[in-house]
Amino acid sequence: PRPPTRAANKLSDAMRAAIVCILATAHGFVAPARRPCHPRRDVAPRAAKETTWDRITGPKLFKSVKRTEGIHAVPLVPLRVLTGILMVHHGSEGGFWPANFGTPGFDGFVDFIVKPYFGFLPGDPQLWSAIHDYVEFWGGALLAIGFLTRPAALSLLVTMGGAVYFHLASTGLQGAPFGHVENYSYNFEEPTLYALIFLLFWFNGPGPLSVDAAIYKQLAPDDAD
């Protein structure tokens, strides 16, 4: 037979060494070798939790929210409800319900506002006065509960546009923005602010805690927007 080659001898020596190592380890003569430790990757330090003070004084002081949802939508609720209730009051001149024909409040609105400043409108001035009352009364009620908010807000926006026109036509700018008046506010100031509020709800809808939001949730439950 052929003599064993050098490679065969090396293989036999390696096998004998492996067997001896296994037996010695099994009987406790040799401690098992530890697995090599892999070096840990560098882990970026965790950013400190943002505090309320950071939000007030940090970069977010200058950031505008992109979506009025969650906590950002909370201010819309009192704004919508209180604005609607105040509109109900404006639409009930002369009594509890709108369009109180024959009362001093209703007739005064016809004689001193509709006839001299809106005489270009076709039809009976009392009809336009009644429409004005109904829009403010029922539009305000719908806005307060958040039902049919967009059409209600649009109709109220048109009404406030007429109110701004009336005040500008009757008393002008009153020296705005730096002029001083007796009642500390310009006559056109209040309807202008109301108009901007109605413009907001016409564009964005009622926000949370509204009838419209509940209806939309039932109509489109899978809509994430």
Side-chain angles (χ1 to χ4, degrees):
R2 291 183 179 182
T5 63
R6 182 178 300 178
N9 290 332
K10 288 185 178 181
L11 180 59
S12 299
D13 294 340
M15 291 180 64
R16 284 195 294 268
I19 294 171
V20 170
C21 182
I22 293 173
L23 293 175
T25 302
H27 288 82
F29 296 111
V30 179
R34 294 182 179 180
R35 296 183 60 185
C37 296
H38 298 285
R40 293 183 60 184
R41 296 180 180 179
D42 294 335
V43 180
R46 295 181 62 182
K49 185 177 181 181
E50 186 180 44
T51 64
T52 303
W53 181 250
D54 294 333
R55 295 179 181 180
I56 296 174
T57 61
K60 288 189 176 179
L61 173 66
F62 308 96
K63 180 183 178 181
S64 298
V65 297
K66 297 179 180 179
R67 302 173 69 89
T68 53
E69 295 178 347
I71 190 66
H72 301 293
V74 171
L76 295 178
V77 178
L79 178 65
R80 191 193 74 238
V81 173
L82 293 178
T83 303
I85 293 174
L86 292 174
M87 277 295 106
V88 170
H89 162 73
H90 283 286
S92 58
E93 295 172 326
F96 180 80
W97 298 105
N100 295 281
F101 291 90
T103 61
F106 184 85
D107 292 341
F109 188 85
V110 173
D111 295 333
F112 298 107
I113 295 179
V114 178
K115 287 182 179 180
Y117 295 99
F118 296 91
F120 56 87
L121 295 174
D124 188 355
Q126 287 191 340
L127 173 63
W128 290 106
S129 181
I131 292 174
H132 159 269
D133 284 358
Y134 281 120
V135 168
E136 289 189 343
F137 188 91
W138 294 113
L142 291 174
L143 185 74
I145 64 175
F147 179 53
L148 298 177
T149 305
R150 281 192 169 92
L154 178 59
S155 61
L156 290 167
L157 174 62
V158 173
T159 303
M160 288 301 105
V164 172
Y165 161 75
F166 158 69
H167 287 296
L168 291 178
S170 60
T171 58
L173 291 173
Q174 298 176 285
F178 302 112
H180 297 282
V181 292
E182 293 182 0
N183 60 352
Y184 300 99
S185 64
Y186 305 116
N187 290 338
F188 66 89
E189 183 177 323
E190 180 182 336
T192 301
L193 293 175
Y194 274 123
L196 294 175
I197 293 173
F198 298 141
L199 181 66
L200 170 69
F201 287 107
W202 179 38
F203 268 69
N204 296 339
L209 298 180
S210 61
V211 177
D212 285 347
I215 293 175
Y216 186 76
K217 187 176 181 180
Q218 295 296 323
L219 295 177
D222 297 330
D223 190 356
D225 295 334

